[in-house]
Amino acid sequence: MPAPPAAPLAQVVPLTPVDGVYTYRVPPEMDAEAVAGARVVVPFGRRTLTGVVVERFGDDDLDPETAPKLKPLYDVLDARPAVPADLLALTKWVADYTLCTWGEALKAALPSGTGVESRRVVHGLAPPDAWDEPRGRKVLRALQERNGAGLPVAQVAGVLGRKTVPQNLLRRLEAAGAVRLDDEVQEARARAKTARHLRLATPPAGGNSRTVRGARQTALLEHLAGVGEGGAVQAEAFAATGATSSTVKSLEARGLVEAFDAEVERRADGLDGPAPEAAPPVDLHPAQEAATDAIAGAIRAGRGGTFLLHGVTGSGKTEVYLRALRAALDKGKTAIVLVPEIALTPQTVRRFRAPFGDAVAVLHSRMSPGERLDAWTRIRDGRYPIVIGPRSAVFAPLDNLGVIVVDEEHEASYKQFDPAPRYHARDVAVMRAHRAGAVCVLGSATPSLESVANANAGKYTRLEMPDRVPVRGPDGTTHAPAPLPPVRVIDLGREKQVRRLKGALSHDLRLAIEARLGRGEQTILLQNRRGYAPVVTCEDCGWTPTCTDCAVSLTVHRDRYGKLSDQLRCHYCGLTERLQPACPECGERDLRLLGQGTQRVEEEIAEVFPEARVLRMDLDTTSRKGAHRKILDRFGRGDADILLGTQMVAKGLDFPRVTLVGVVDADTGMLLPDFRASERTFQLLAQVAGRAGRHELQGEVLLQTRNPDHAAIRFALAHDFHGFAHVEMAERLALGYPPYGRLVGVEVKGPEQRSTEALAERWGVALGQEAQKVAGVEVLGPAPALVGRVKKWWRYHLLVKAPRTLPPSVLAAVVRAVRDRVGAPGGHRVNLDVDPVGLY
Ligand code: ADP
Ligand code: ZN
Ligand code: ZN
């Protein structure tokens, strides 16, 4: 019997939206493992949940009344704490800042599907006709069909075709003895994987080797001799040597080889595989040198600090990141690199893996839960000092952090919206680095105005790289920096007036493409709308098809069978139906397809340039794993002349033969009712323009627009980030929007319009009352969301606005007070979004 623990109690945060910290007794046999950061299984009301121990303490100060009533922990899931101490503190900060529970924030820091949870399950005890009410009968019938296997309570809603679980009905059924409600514990969905391994038997049964016959046996023995005691995965050894199970059997029988099971790491394909070959070291150019000195200097000195690395596209930011990582590793420290969306930036990931090879773990959104668990476990065990990943990688369980790099820090994908925590990975990165005494590097050609403001205020150190890297010609000589490509604006309104516009591509853009085709150079075309045509309308009565479940019009998609099989699709819920050849309202056969999706532009290119080889990259062509990479590899090999796509083609691509970038419609998104619309448009245009003429060949950019005087267009034309930022900042200041103001978005959702609107109104009133107590706080709304209904749920928005000088905790308290008072009763949902990105 182990000695009773000195600190027999544990504070546990359950990994659910339930708020609070709960106290449990630690049984002596769990004493050593139930330390702060360990995941534990606990009884929670009628349920069983996974939680994280956040503190251990003694029972000295405990009221003798409560102490005996405390329940014991059921189990400890980790031999080593899953959440290191600094991540415990960081997730607590995230929870407080983003207005979610600590448990929700901790969940974001843990691999999904690894906890133990119970769910409520109903079992039927009575036949359907024992109940008179039709809904109850329906539930009992569904239970009867399951022959004793229970139905998870969450699925009862579906049986009745409803959105919410009929709690009331279930309670009545239970009270009448017609059903039984149980809690069933579900095992973890993701666990470590083992595989059969082979190794040479120890001690080797000497002498027998003479009796080995056959090339396969010899090959397998040689292979195993080369891998050592850890052995080789059997399947891999077979693939390498041509050996089979019978080869193993005969070697085993003679005591030469032994088989055993051992854990293996599941590695996602595509981004893994052997590390690419390291590029020869480059000599930094002066701006890179200055940036590297500042960053690496801070890392070496252990000084910490945040750097805003503002470098134009092609200025060599990645090289600076690599030197920062090197500095951290040389000091025995670890590093995190955040990239916006890994599938879109395989080139960037390859460049990080080349010099550091096996020291790098790559996390990405398309990993299976098992692959993710394996990577996470090994990161926690210190196997990988460098982690590259999307926003969630900011929570990677690394100790001894030296640097966090946030590449393309302005990208909206760093903000998580659903589920909570609604955090911004850039801000969490800055905070995590700060707490760890590490350096944070925020890099971009078009930094967010938030970061610019922080640099202006002296909170971040600004590093500028205003020129592209000097080009090295094929003969090995270097030339002056390649200038940023000239940008030309094509005014679509004028083109239409002079009747030169026939489709999506203007006369000048067609000429420019033709010239590239003639010279064997490549073109990137951006059209930020997928599908064929965004809207259909009846010429006669004005009918337009809309989604039955969402308040949006349906987009026409055309497949390779052409017009007759046109489909209508909802881009919000995925609903798909046939486009009928005639108007369902008036029978008119002349339906007009309005607007240009990527498919339609592709069709136009095929008509105008039948010889051109086109690759289309949008959500529809990249849904399969590895599809992005395949398209980009083909383009990189020169198997296509034109890469056409949505904003995916704007990001981080570096192809030497691309000399033309065409933006088919620069106005998409520019006029959205969002105060960041202009900033987003400028960023997108600057990013895509940066894809042209990055190497020896001079590039050119053509922007088609109906708003040639819009600030985003004018400054993109001149590659003038500072000019744009200056004008845009003045506007934000005048309106009190970020970076000069703080915002909290409130989204009220519900399955029924009237009650949802009423709840939004109650929130509005209550927020107004709370806001009066704090100077400067203002409430806007409620108003229907831009898309007022999604997947049958109605949506209303409110916005709470405060000056930047108000501490975030004061603003949070205002919103929290209303959440406690009004909440989200009656099957509604209210999402709070601190520092919202995108006011859709
Ligand atoms: P950014 O990330 O700023 O757009 P990159 O880091 O992709 O720029 O650099 C642009 C190109 O210049 C890449 O092909 C890169 O390999 C190359 N490059 C970067 N730094 C140097 C250097 N000091 N000398 C030579 N080539 C460099
Ligand atoms: Zn009609
Ligand atoms: Zn829909």
Side-chain angles (χ1 to χ4, degrees):
M1 213 34 206
L9 302 179
Q11 299 260 307
V12 174
V13 170
L15 297 178
T16 57
V18 175
D19 221 346
V21 177
Y22 300 82
T23 307
Y24 293 88
R25 258 190 315 107
V26 180
E29 67 276 16
M30 297 180 197
D31 180 44
E33 289 181 345
V35 294
R39 288 174 304 170
V40 289
V41 181
V42 294
F44 195 79
R46 286 166 63 165
R47 293 186 292 163
T48 302
L49 291 180
T50 299
V52 172
V53 176
V54 296
E55 211 188 326
R56 288 283 298 271
F57 61 106
D59 53 5
D60 306 345
D61 324 319
L62 208 67
D63 162 10
E65 290 281 299
T66 31
K69 287 191 204 136
L70 291 175
K71 293 188 186 150
L73 303 176
Y74 282 169
D75 200 2
V76 185
L77 293 179
D78 301 302
R80 293 186 48 166
V83 188
D86 70 318
L87 277 180
L88 273 184
L90 186 75
T91 49
K92 177 77 172 77
W93 175 80
V94 167
D96 291 342
Y97 189 83
T98 68
L99 298 171
C100 70
T101 68
W102 197 356
E104 286 172 313
L106 279 166
K107 220 169 163 173
L110 290 165
S112 59
T114 56
V116 173
E117 258 174 51
S118 69
R119 52 177 186 180
R120 307 214 67 196
V121 175
V122 248
H123 294 271
L125 300 177
D129 42 2
W131 201 259
D132 343 306
E133 193 193 354
R135 286 190 320 148
R137 223 178 299 149
K138 215 165 174 181
V139 171
L140 291 175
R141 191 167 317 118
L143 293 172
Q144 193 178 41
E145 279 162 14
R146 295 179 71 87
N147 291 324
L151 183 71
V153 161
Q155 290 175 26
V156 175
V159 168
L160 296 176
R162 296 182 15 159
K163 280 267 162 194
T164 52
V165 177
Q167 299 290 359
N168 231 321
L169 174 65
L170 286 178
R171 263 195 296 275
R172 275 183 286 125
L173 287 166
E174 189 187 21
V179 302
R180 188 181 77 235
L181 289 168
D182 275 343
D183 283 292
E184 285 179 5
V185 173
Q186 284 190 297
E187 284 301 320
R189 278 176 290 128
R191 342 163 136 261
K193 184 179 164 187
T194 57
R196 201 171 139 94
H197 283 59
L198 301 174
R199 67 180 162 217
L200 293 182
T202 44
N208 272 352
S209 55
R210 267 183 285 116
T211 63
V212 168
R213 256 171 289 136
R216 285 182 185 162
Q217 294 187 3
T218 315
L220 182 60
L221 286 174
E222 275 171 8
H223 182 76
L224 294 179
V227 296
E229 298 221 339
V233 175
Q234 174 174 288
E236 286 167 13
F238 285 0
T241 62
T244 62
S245 314
S246 65
T247 322
V248 174
K249 245 181 235 149
S250 57
L251 290 173
E252 249 182 330
R254 277 176 286 158
L256 290 173
V257 161
E258 60 190 27
F260 61 102
D261 284 335
E263 242 181 65
V264 287
E265 178 177 2
R266 284 157 288 195
R267 301 201 65 173
D269 60 345
L271 297 160
D272 288 292
E277 227 170 275
V282 295
D283 295 324
L284 296 180
H285 65 85
Q288 280 177 316
E289 184 110 46
T292 304
D293 284 350
I295 295 167
I299 294 171
R300 279 189 211 106
R303 252 199 319 269
T306 301
F307 294 88
L308 177 58
L309 179 61
H310 176 205
V312 297
T313 53
S315 60
K317 294 185 287 297
T318 312
E319 196 59 40
V320 177
Y321 304 151
L322 293 174
R323 305 279 170 134
L325 299 192
R326 175 61 67 203
L329 258 53
D330 285 349
K331 254 201 118 201
K333 302 217 158 198
T334 62
I336 297 175
V337 180
L338 300 183
V339 289
E341 165 56 81
I342 269 201
L344 298 185
T345 45
Q347 285 185 327
T348 311
V349 174
R350 245 174 279 168
R351 280 175 66 192
F352 281 106
R353 292 193 63 223
F356 298 109
D358 246 12
V360 178
V362 179
L363 303 174
H364 57 88
S365 51
R366 293 192 176 177
M367 286 168 108
S368 70
E371 288 163 352
R372 198 179 290 273
L373 172 66
D374 290 0
W376 181 87
T377 310
R378 280 158 186 79
I379 293 165
R380 187 198 56 186
D381 292 346
R383 163 74 187 75
Y384 299 112
I386 299 176
V387 176
I388 302 182
R391 62 176 179 245
S392 58
V394 76
F395 296 110
L398 285 170
D399 285 326
N400 206 9
L401 208 51
V403 62
I404 306 181
V405 171
V406 185
D407 188 24
E408 309 291 356
E409 66 90 28
H410 63 278
E411 280 285 334
S413 63
Y414 284 125
K415 177 74 199 280
Q416 168 148 317
F417 183 68
D418 251 341
R422 301 191 169 83
Y423 66 98
H424 200 303
R426 174 195 60 219
D427 300 341
V428 178
V430 171
M431 182 51 82
R432 182 170 184 188
H434 173 70
R435 286 163 168 265
V439 164
C440 189
V441 182
L442 309 178
S444 176
T446 52
S448 63
L449 295 186
E450 282 80 357
S451 294
V452 170
N454 280 325
N456 291 347
K459 284 191 207 157
Y460 300 169
T461 306
R462 190 198 305 270
L463 302 168
E464 297 269 359
M465 300 208 292
D467 298 311
R468 283 186 158 182
V469 172
V471 222
R472 203 181 308 251
D475 54 352
T477 58
T478 44
H479 315 271
L484 287 164
V487 184
R488 220 167 5 123
V489 161
I490 297 169
D491 181 348
L492 289 178
R494 238 197 90 66
E495 290 288 301
K496 210 153 205 172
Q497 261 174 14
V498 300
R499 297 177 189 286
R500 267 216 304 206
L501 195 62
K502 295 197 191 77
L505 308 175
S506 63
H507 182 69
D508 284 9
L509 184 51
R510 288 180 179 193
L511 285 181
I513 296 172
E514 194 173 359
R516 278 15 181 235
L517 291 172
R519 294 203 292 265
E521 295 170 4
Q522 292 178 303
T523 298
I524 288 181
L525 285 182
L526 169 71
Q527 170 61 340
N528 208 6
R529 294 198 106 137
R530 66 190 171 98
Y532 188 81
V535 179
V536 196
T537 178
C538 168
E539 279 286 79
D540 203 39
C541 72
W543 166 85
T544 280
T546 53
C547 180
T548 47
D549 294 350
C550 313
V552 289
S553 52
L554 297 171
T555 301
V556 180
H557 282 249
R558 177 166 294 177
D559 63 18
R560 60 204 158 93
Y561 302 109
K563 196 173 164 159
L564 289 177
S565 61
D566 273 351
Q567 284 184 334
L568 291 170
R569 275 193 223 158
C570 174
H571 285 183
Y572 281 77
C573 71
L575 171 126
T576 301
E577 57 187 52
R578 267 304 276 279
L579 173 64
Q580 300 302 332
C583 172
E585 297 287 319
C586 71
E588 168 66 51
R589 299 192 77 83
D590 198 7
L591 296 179
R592 285 240 303 173
L593 305 187
L594 303 177
Q596 307 281 347
T598 44
Q599 288 184 321
R600 198 171 195 176
V601 176
E602 186 180 24
E603 191 182 272
E604 183 175 333
I605 297 171
E607 271 163 28
V608 184
F609 305 111
E611 74 287 7
R613 297 161 303 162
V614 183
L615 288 169
R616 177 161 63 87
M617 189 160 90
D618 54 31
L619 215 60
D620 301 310
T621 61
T622 54
S623 52
R624 264 170 302 113
K625 199 166 168 172
H628 286 106
R629 193 193 165 108
K630 263 190 214 131
I631 293 175
L632 294 178
D633 284 349
R634 284 178 63 192
F635 194 61
R637 279 200 308 268
D639 290 352
D641 307 301
I642 300 174
L643 176 66
L644 159 72
T646 52
Q647 53 177 341
M648 292 176 186
V649 302
K651 317 260 157 111
L653 304 181
D654 188 5
F655 295 112
R657 296 206 65 78
V658 172
T659 59
L660 173 66
V661 164
V663 179
V664 176
D665 180 2
D667 306 346
T668 320
M670 185 159 81
L671 304 172
L672 284 176
D674 177 339
F675 69 89
R676 283 198 186 85
S678 186
E679 185 183 5
R680 292 257 170 278
T681 304
F682 178 81
Q683 286 164 347
L684 182 63
L685 296 179
Q687 293 292 340
V688 75
R691 304 306 120 213
R694 290 168 68 90
H695 295 256
E696 302 89 76
L697 301 169
Q698 173 65 45
E700 181 189 21
V701 181
L702 264 59
L703 300 185
Q704 302 195 136
T705 176
R706 288 191 166 69
N707 300 281
D709 296 327
H710 191 283
I713 304 278
R714 277 192 293 121
F715 288 106
L717 197 78
H719 298 288
D720 185 3
F721 174 80
H722 292 287
F724 174 78
H726 189 74
V727 167
E728 186 66 19
M729 286 281 209
E731 203 142 301
R732 302 280 177 91
L733 179 63
L735 297 169
Y737 276 122
Y740 295 101
R742 292 185 187 285
L743 297 179
V744 180
V746 179
E747 184 195 26
V748 180
K749 298 205 290 188
E752 212 248 319
Q753 182 174 20
R754 287 251 301 283
S755 66
T756 309
E757 190 178 7
L759 180 61
E761 249 143 41
R762 270 198 285 151
W763 265 82
V765 171
L767 281 170
Q769 287 163 351
E770 289 297 324
Q772 278 186 352
K773 302 176 195 165
V774 186
V777 178
E778 208 187 321
V779 181
L780 309 177
L786 182 59
V787 179
R789 195 164 170 250
V790 173
K791 298 182 191 171
K792 293 193 170 144
W793 280 61
W794 298 86
R795 303 164 73 224
Y796 288 83
H797 275 163
L798 296 119
L799 203 56
V800 189
K801 207 164 129 193
R804 190 90 215 151
T805 46
L806 191 79
S809 56
V810 177
L811 185 57
V814 166
V815 181
R816 237 189 243 117
V818 177
R819 182 169 63 186
D820 293 345
R821 219 169 87 201
V822 182
H828 292 88
R829 206 169 303 149
V830 177
N831 290 327
L832 302 178
D833 191 8
V834 177
D835 303 337
V837 164
L839 306 175
Y840 22 84

